[in-house]
Amino acid sequence: MAATDNDEPVVDPAAVRRHRVLFRAIDKRRNPKLRRSDITVTDEAAVKRATKAAMLGNAMEWYDFGIYSYLASTLGKVFFPSGNDTAQLLSSFATFAVAFLVRPIGGAFFGPLGDKIGRKSILAITMIMMSVGTLAIGLIPSHATIGIWAPVLLIFFRLVQGFSTGGEYGGASTFIAEYAPDKRRGFFGSFLEFGTLAGYVAASGLVVLLTTFFSDDQMLHWGWRIPFLVAAPLGFIGLWLRMKLDETPAFQKLEGGQVRASEAADAVETSAVSDLGKIFTQYWRPLLLCLALVAAYNITDYMLLSYMPTYLSDELGYGTNKGLLILLLVMVVQMCLLQQVGRLSDRVGRKPLLMTGMIGFLVLSLPSFLLIRQGSVFLIALGLLLLGLSLVCLLGTMSAALPAIFPTQVRYGSLSVSYNLATSIFGGTTPLVITALISAFDTNLMPAYYATAAAVVGVIAVLCLKETANLPLAGSPPSVETEEEAAELVQAQAPEPKF
């Protein structure tokens, strides 16, 4: 007998044929029939509270990153004085990328800890750190006031933000996935990305208002601080919501507090103390799959939602507000479609929608940027909408698909490590890489080529992904909405009477 990556023994088929009765007994012992007590019947009110708390935290995270992206030019002048606008912009985007360098470290720290002590406690800690980091950035004096200490402090608090964010997405998506019933995990998971778009919409809307009512000089001296200071109270509201929640049902059962589903579940309980070594040695295949999916997803996501306003203003010469307003309208359209995409993924599966999104970027990236370059408001909006519709297929599905790749006992840790590693290498560096590539190759179509290459990786990753819609999470018993569904699951296992 040999062991697979998931500790499942590989049995010689000849031995099974010789000892059928023995191996049937072993299989029954390892995979006993479900009892009613094994099945989780969800409380819809609790699921909605959990979804709301996770969504608000995600909105807060992407509000922070959106604000920094949309004010990149202004922040470059405040913290990195230079006579060269491109150098200032690159310095600002480099600081944006710095936060992503520590995200894998944050994921490696908070993720396994969330598998040991619970999802709720870690999500509360990450929310506090994120709020403090954002507030502090809004209070840093400019380079003109304190010199080199201004960019040093900016980088330090960006590192605080990045470290806390390392435990945020993995925990929030795990939290919703473990609360939601199996047949509606896509619908509830889509609210997490609704929070992402809500954060970006709030950031872009506030920047448009500020740049409309304040002069360039006012924005440069003090106006840029307002969005960072506003974020602090929002973070504490999110913290309050999270502290009111119970731990997820899946984690409670993992601890053995309520249900012991089988002897297989006993092994799961003891493995809650799993560390990074176990994650990398026993779950490296799902880690690689998740990394590839997230890399393709984040390159397209950050290109459209973070980098595009800067691209429109600095590379194509459009007004800042013009580009932001068009992108804001595209994001509002995406928000209106997200829940429908989530519902659709519960009906037709995750893979068809993920593949649609990846192929959309593969085929439409270059035509979309050719439209955007024309300068007409209508054509810019059409180009951004084509990219936005491709992205919404990923946004509405990914939050349900990614947690299902890993079993419960290592879900938070594995997802946090792989997600943040991919985001650090490919997502957060997207604005910096694209800006550098445009400068090196002297073509403003470089974002289209970059997105197309990412989509190729995404298509291959989706082909390797197993369908998980309507199935229980690995390592957890089924989760249903009603007692009737639970009774039907148990009844379905009863053997048919023989006469």
Side-chain angles (χ1 to χ4, degrees), residues 289 293 350-352 354-355 358 394 457-466:
L289 175 60
L293 280 170
R350 319 290 186 224
K351 291 186 66 170
L354 290 174
M355 187 61 76
M358 295 298 182
L394 306 180
V457 175
V459 168
I460 296 170
V462 174
L463 288 173
C464 298
L465 183 69
K466 291 181 180 178

Side-chain angles (χ1 to χ4, degrees), residues 30-276:
R30 187 178 293 128
N31 301 294
K33 291 181 179 179
L34 284 169
R35 297 167 295 181
R36 168 58 194 90
S37 58
D38 297 335
I39 300 170
T40 301
V41 179
T42 59
D43 177 356
E44 185 165 356
V47 176
K48 289 180 178 179
R49 286 196 302 271
T51 302
K52 187 186 302 182
M55 179 182 71
L56 184 58
N58 212 44
M60 172 74 181
E61 174 189 344
W62 296 112
Y63 171 87
D64 295 344
F65 281 94
I67 284 294
Y68 194 96
S69 298
Y70 301 148
L71 290 174
S73 297
T74 301
L75 293 175
K77 295 172 184 176
V78 172
F79 291 102
F80 304 99
S82 168
N84 189 313
D85 290 343
T86 301
Q88 283 183 335
L89 187 61
L90 282 171
S91 298
S92 184
F93 275 140
T95 306
F96 178 82
V98 157
F100 289 85
L101 296 180
V102 296
R103 281 186 67 156
I105 301 174
F109 176 80
F110 287 119
L113 203 57
D115 287 324
K116 292 179 182 179
I117 68 174
R119 288 67 163 115
K120 172 185 170 181
S121 301
I122 299 304
L123 284 173
I125 294 170
T126 59
M127 180 65 81
I128 293 171
M129 291 182 65
M130 199 185 311
S131 300
V132 169
T134 304
L135 175 63
I137 288 176
L139 298 174
I140 299 173
S142 68
H143 186 280
T145 305
I146 60 172
I148 191 64
W149 285 105
V152 168
L153 288 173
L154 176 64
I155 291 171
F156 173 76
F157 288 114
R158 287 291 294 162
L159 291 174
V160 171
Q161 284 183 321
F163 188 75
S164 65
T165 304
E168 176 62 31
Y169 183 89
S173 56
T174 294
F175 205 71
I176 293 178
E178 292 183 350
Y179 254 108
D182 296 333
K183 291 184 179 179
R184 299 183 70 195
R185 191 170 294 118
F187 170 70
F188 285 111
S190 67
F191 280 92
L192 189 63
E193 297 300 349
F194 186 91
T196 297
L197 291 174
Y200 275 124
V201 166
S204 60
L206 185 54
V207 169
V208 167
L209 285 175
L210 291 174
T211 52
T212 299
F213 291 103
F214 296 147
S215 66
D216 290 344
D217 191 57
Q218 288 174 319
M219 283 296 297
L220 196 61
H221 283 85
W222 55 269
W224 67 269
R225 299 182 185 275
I226 295 174
F228 292 97
L229 300 179
V230 166
L234 294 177
F236 288 108
I237 292 171
L239 174 63
W240 176 71
L241 284 173
R242 287 184 174 181
M243 293 303 294
K244 289 177 63 180
L245 296 171
D246 294 325
E247 191 52 80
T248 69
F251 185 79
Q252 290 181 32
K253 292 185 177 183
L254 185 69
E255 290 183 307
Q258 293 180 354
V259 176
R260 294 166 66 96
S262 66
E263 287 195 9
D266 291 343
V268 169
E269 290 164 19
T270 59
S271 66
V273 296
S274 58
D275 57 12
L276 287 174

Side-chain angles (χ1 to χ4, degrees), residues 408-440:
T408 302
Q409 72 271 20
V410 294
R411 181 171 298 122
Y412 197 155
S414 300
L415 181 53
S416 293
V417 168
S418 53
Y419 184 91
N420 288 294
L421 192 60
T423 302
S424 173
I425 297 172
F426 301 103
T429 59
T430 294
L432 178 64
V433 169
I434 292 178
T435 301
L437 288 174
I438 290 173
S439 177

Side-chain angles (χ1 to χ4, degrees), residues 5-23:
D5 290 329
N6 294 324
D7 290 338
E8 286 293 330
V10 178
V11 182
D12 181 7
V16 175
R17 288 193 295 270
R18 288 195 303 269
H19 308 284
R20 294 183 186 278
V21 175
L22 174 61
F23 278 99

